[in-house]
């Protein structure tokens, strides 16, 4: 099958949307399909972000077609509409439409809301079947920006229904969105779960994790708590710092290691609280092998974020690393973490986090119980699972069968 894909984002950069785009492009290529990707002018080459064993075949099957940089966006993290995004959407439409009319394509594959709007127009003009790859619910995203009772809520719902009903297949990225999409689509069979996964390079390593203590031994750390991600206000890193202050006063000698960009304000706060590097250590952004080693050395991982709708990608990484997650007890975490089975959930309070951390380090039977549960949970996020889910989605397209299988040279065992 020849696929025309629209990816409305800087590609590739190491952020949520581009990660899903690259993972799913790779999966589609592995299922034996050729993919032309229409995307932003911004972005790095994709090869370095792929496991070495996959690069040759992905390079053979995937071609990037970049639009003009006239409306290049400076910030890759802003959500919502902007004049530059509208300009980029117009350029994506023009390029994709030209290719759809002149190329011999079998499928239009659209990532996220921007591409769905473009894709519906191209589908109407060309008759190509359309696959809509969700990157979350449009209504949920807009509710996070404008509030759930915002005046534009009916408008968001109208567009969301159009995406689901107009597409031939919908790929939902989180389990809680499957019933939402099915309700709007009016057809349960067209909606398939293709769960978000960690970046492929890290994912392949985490499928065969090798725990060790080399990094923390070299740093003089005994008990290690790990946070990865950004330091935005909603991540509530202040709760984690407060937890370490409580642990310090209660006599538990442990070190919180925080990896990510933009930590300066949090570091200043930690030092003002009397938390030195032996208790709280900021190590900057870590990727690839360096991030893998942090995950393999940690005893427990942390997420104190307070957004309710969108599950944090970091928790999937923690689960794949077989790390228990200590997190705020909110729907966004309960989608992935089961209390007393794969993690410990508690209120967004420094004292509550400290209580659960002390419980974890002092309860050996609990730690043994978690080991088998985490092995089972990690199976939901493997590379093979990605292939199975994508294959299921492609089998539901018009005139397709369910016998898609990976190319021999791209066996998941490589």
């Amino acid at each position: 099958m020849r696929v025309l894909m629209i990816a409305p984002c800087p590609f590739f950069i190491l952020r949520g949307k581009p990660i899903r785009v690259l993972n799913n492009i790779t999966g589609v290529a592995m299922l034996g399909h050729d993919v032309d990707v229409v995307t932003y002018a911004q972005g790095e080459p994709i090869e370095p972000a792929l496991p070495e064993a996959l690069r040759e075949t992905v390079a053979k099957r995937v071609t990037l077609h970049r639009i003009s940089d006239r409306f290049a966006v400076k910030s890759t993290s802003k959500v919502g509409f902007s004049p530059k995004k509208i300009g980029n959407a117009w350029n994506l439409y023009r390029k994709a439409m030209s290719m759809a009319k002149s190329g011999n394509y079998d499928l239009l594959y659209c990532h996220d809301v921007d591409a769905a709007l473009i894709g519906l127009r191209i589908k109407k003009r060309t008759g190509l079947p359309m696959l809509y790859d969700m990157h979350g619910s449009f209504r949920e995203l807009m509710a996070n920006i404008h509030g759930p009772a915002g005046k534009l809520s009916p408008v968001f719902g109208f567009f969301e229904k159009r995406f689901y009903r107009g597409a031939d297949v919908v790929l939902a990225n989180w389990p809680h969105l499957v019933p939402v999409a099915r309700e709007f689509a009016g057809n349960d069979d067209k909606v398939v779960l293709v769960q978000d996964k960690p970046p492929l390079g890290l994912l392949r390593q985490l499928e065969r994790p090798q725990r060790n203590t080399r990094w923390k031994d070299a740093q003089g750390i005994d008990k290690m708590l790990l946070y990865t991600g950004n330091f935005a206000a909603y991540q509530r890193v202040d709760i984690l710092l407060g937890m370490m202050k409580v642990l310090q006063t209660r006599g538990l000698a442990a070190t919180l290691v925080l990896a990510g960009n933009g930590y300066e304000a949090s570091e200043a706060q930690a030092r003002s609280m009397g938390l030195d590097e032996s208790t709280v250590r900021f190590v900057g952004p870590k990727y690839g092998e360096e991030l893998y080693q942090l995950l393999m050395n940690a005893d427990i991982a942390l997420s104190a974020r307070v957004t309710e709708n969108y599950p944090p990608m970091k928790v999937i990484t923690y689960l794949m690393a077989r790390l228990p997650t200590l997190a705020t007890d909110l729907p966004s975490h309960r989608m992935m973490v089961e209390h007393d089975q794969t993690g410990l959930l508690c209120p967004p309070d420094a004292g509550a986090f400290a209580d659960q951390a002390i419980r974890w380090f002092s309860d050996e039977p609990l730690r043994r119980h978690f080991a088998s549960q985490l092995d089972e949970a990690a199976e939901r996020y493997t590379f093979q699972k990605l292939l199975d889910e994508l294959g299921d989605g492609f089998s539901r397209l018009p005139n397709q069968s369910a016998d898609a299988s990976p190319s021999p040279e791209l066996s998941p065992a490589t």
Side-chain angles (χ1 to χ4, degrees):
M1 183 182 292
R2 192 168 178 216
V3 179
L4 177 58
M5 181 180 288
I6 306 174
C9 57
F11 186 73
F12 177 73
I13 60 172
L14 196 67
R15 290 191 66 87
K17 184 187 291 189
I19 288 172
R20 180 172 176 86
V21 171
L22 182 57
N23 285 358
N24 290 5
I25 283 174
T26 304
V28 170
M30 288 178 57
L31 292 173
H33 307 299
D34 295 317
V35 189
D36 284 335
V37 185
V38 182
T39 189
Y40 279 16
Q42 290 171 282
E44 301 296 326
I46 64 175
E47 289 78 10
L50 292 168
E52 188 172 351
L54 307 184
R55 291 175 186 172
E56 182 178 353
T57 303
V58 171
K60 181 172 64 177
R61 291 197 174 276
V62 176
T63 305
L64 300 187
H65 302 265
R66 298 191 181 276
I67 60 173
S68 158
D69 64 358
R70 181 181 176 188
F71 299 104
V73 292
K74 292 182 179 179
S75 172
T76 60
S77 59
K78 286 184 67 175
V79 296
F81 298 111
S82 71
K84 286 187 175 181
K85 287 187 178 182
I86 293 171
N88 280 322
W90 173 245
N91 282 340
L92 287 168
Y93 169 74
R94 290 178 61 197
K95 192 170 191 69
M97 176 61 81
S98 174
M99 293 173 66
K101 290 195 296 185
S102 62
N104 185 26
Y105 292 103
D106 304 293
L107 174 67
L108 190 60
Y109 187 127
C110 301
H111 282 278
D112 210 3
V113 172
D114 319 41
L117 285 168
I118 295 167
L120 287 175
R121 178 66 177 168
I122 295 176
K123 177 183 177 180
K124 184 176 181 179
R125 293 188 61 182
T126 65
L128 282 172
M130 173 180 150
L131 183 151
Y132 172 36
D133 192 327
M134 292 175 65
H135 289 237
S137 161
F138 188 38
R139 284 184 301 169
E140 283 188 4
L141 174 62
M142 292 298 104
N144 282 345
I145 299 171
H146 303 289
K151 293 180 180 179
L152 294 178
S153 182
V155 177
F156 304 147
F158 168 79
F159 279 110
E160 194 158 39
K161 183 181 289 188
R162 285 196 66 197
F163 302 154
Y164 301 146
R165 296 207 170 179
D168 294 279
V169 170
V170 177
L171 307 183
N173 63 327
W174 293 104
H176 79 289
L177 295 177
V178 172
V180 173
R182 285 176 174 168
E183 176 188 355
F184 276 92
N187 180 350
D188 288 359
D189 290 338
K190 72 158 66 173
V191 182
V192 179
L193 175 66
V194 179
Q195 174 79 58
D196 274 347
K197 308 290 191 298
L200 280 179
L202 181 61
L203 176 61
R204 300 313 302 273
Q205 286 183 292
L206 293 176
E207 288 179 352
R208 297 175 291 274
Q210 299 293 321
R211 301 203 62 77
N212 65 80
T213 62
R214 289 190 293 273
W215 187 87
K216 65 180 182 179
D217 288 347
Q219 301 295 320
I221 295 172
D222 179 20
K223 297 178 175 65
M224 176 175 162
L225 302 92
L226 177 65
Y227 170 83
T228 66
N230 65 57
F231 291 81
Y234 69 85
Q235 299 284 11
R236 292 304 304 273
V237 172
D238 60 303
I239 292 175
L240 305 183
L241 300 181
M243 171 194 69
M244 296 309 296
K245 191 66 178 178
V246 174
L247 293 180
Q248 190 179 63
T249 61
R250 293 173 65 175
L252 178 66
T255 303
L256 169 60
V257 175
L258 302 101
N261 275 316
Y263 60 85
E264 291 78 9
S266 293
E267 184 177 36
Q269 182 183 4
R271 303 302 174 240
S272 71
M273 295 168 64
L275 300 169
D276 62 19
E277 281 210 348
S278 66
T279 305
V280 175
R281 188 169 305 184
F282 296 85
V283 295
K286 299 295 179 185
Y287 308 112
E289 180 63 25
E290 288 185 309
L291 176 56
Y292 175 75
Q293 287 304 323
L294 288 181
L295 293 164
M296 291 301 98
N297 278 256
D299 296 293
I300 190 167
L302 306 167
S303 179
R305 67 188 285 167
V306 292
T307 51
E308 294 197 2
N309 293 330
Y310 287 94
M313 177 65 75
K314 64 169 67 68
V315 175
I316 295 180
T317 306
Y318 297 161
L319 290 171
M320 287 294 297
R322 279 64 166 180
L323 274 175
T325 302
L326 172 52
T328 42
D329 188 7
L330 293 171
S332 55
H333 286 130
R334 288 197 296 270
M335 290 177 204
M336 295 176 288
V337 176
E338 186 177 357
H339 183 62
D340 277 358
Q341 302 298 322
T342 57
L344 302 169
L345 301 175
C346 63
D349 174 79
F353 266 70
D355 289 342
Q356 292 294 344
I358 290 170
R359 179 182 172 218
W360 171 257
F361 283 113
S362 63
D363 192 338
E364 186 175 349
L366 180 67
R367 296 197 299 273
R368 288 200 303 268
H369 171 69
F370 267 53
S372 61
Q373 300 298 314
L374 286 164
D375 273 337
E376 184 177 333
E379 290 301 314
R380 299 197 296 266
Y381 307 106
T382 63
F383 196 33
Q384 181 60 53
K385 190 70 172 176
L386 174 65
L387 292 177
D388 293 343
E389 291 168 347
L390 283 170
D392 186 14
F394 269 64
S395 74
R396 301 186 191 211
L397 290 164
N399 303 316
Q400 296 299 311
S401 63
D403 61 356
S405 57
S407 303
E409 69 269 32
L410 286 177
S411 165
T414 59

